[in-house]
């Protein structure tokens, strides 16, 4: 049976509270620990960092989950852009290269508007959670 970790581990991340998440992790462990013991071991080691995630509202959880891949993708793009040049004569050249790599992600500038529309519910929850520390100009 092939590992379907994302599908099988999803109940842990969608749990309502820590107790339910622990129960779902135990179910995952029963099914997969014989073949892949490191998966649940990694989750156990990082449990204290994961628990605050469970207290977030559902819309915020979605933002956290979905932006992880975007951040990893951006980091990979930055690495490729920096490696393509070999070296930079000064720091300003490196910053310019990274800036250009960032601009190629959304050359028309419409991506920000799509992002705002897609995550409006989460943005509203962030504003409430951070008690006005985010303003319309920052969003």
């Amino acid at each position: 049976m092939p590992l379907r970790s994302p599908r099988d581990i999803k109940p842990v991340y969608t749990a309502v509270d820590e107790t339910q998440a622990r129960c779902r992790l135990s179910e995952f462990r029963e099914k997969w620990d014989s073949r892949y013991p490191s998966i649940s071991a990694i989750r156990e080691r990082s449990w204290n960092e994961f628990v605050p995630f469970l207290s977030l509202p559902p819309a915020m959880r979605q933002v956290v989950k979905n932006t992880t891949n975007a951040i990893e993708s951006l980091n990979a793009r930055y690495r490729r852009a920096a490696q393509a040049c070999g070296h930079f004569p000064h720091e300003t050249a490196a910053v310019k290269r990274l800036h250009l790599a960032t601009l190629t992600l959304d050359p028309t500038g419409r991506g920000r508007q799509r992002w705002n529309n897609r995550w409006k519910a989460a943005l509203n929850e962030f504003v409430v959670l951070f008690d006005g520390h985010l303003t319309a100009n920052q969003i």
Side-chain angles (χ1 to χ4, degrees), residues 41-88:
I42 290 168
R43 295 329 187 262
E44 283 293 332
R45 283 195 301 271
S46 62
W47 192 258
N48 290 335
E49 289 80 21
F50 169 67
V51 171
F53 175 78
L54 296 173
S55 66
L56 296 175
M60 290 173 114
R61 285 188 191 191
Q62 190 72 19
V63 168
V64 170
K65 183 183 75 134
N66 290 343
T67 55
T68 301
N69 287 340
I71 291 168
E72 290 173 0
S73 174
L74 184 62
N75 285 337
R77 186 176 293 249
Y78 284 163
R79 277 193 303 276
R80 282 193 308 271
Q83 289 172 351
C85 288
H87 78 284
F88 298 97

Side-chain angles (χ1 to χ4, degrees), residues 91-122:
E91 184 178 339
T92 307
V95 171
K96 286 180 182 179
R97 179 72 178 183
L98 296 179
H99 178 71
L100 290 173
T102 304
L103 289 179
T104 61
L105 293 172
D106 185 22
T108 63
R110 291 191 302 245
R112 181 182 175 111
Q113 183 59 42
R114 284 193 311 268
W115 188 90
N116 283 348
N117 291 339
R118 189 177 302 147
W119 303 114
K120 196 62 173 174

Side-chain angles (χ1 to χ4, degrees), residues 12 18-28 47:
V12 176
E18 183 178 1
T19 306
Q20 187 182 32
R22 282 243 182 239
C23 181
R24 300 296 177 256
L25 184 61
S26 295
E27 292 169 3
F28 179 86
W47 192 258

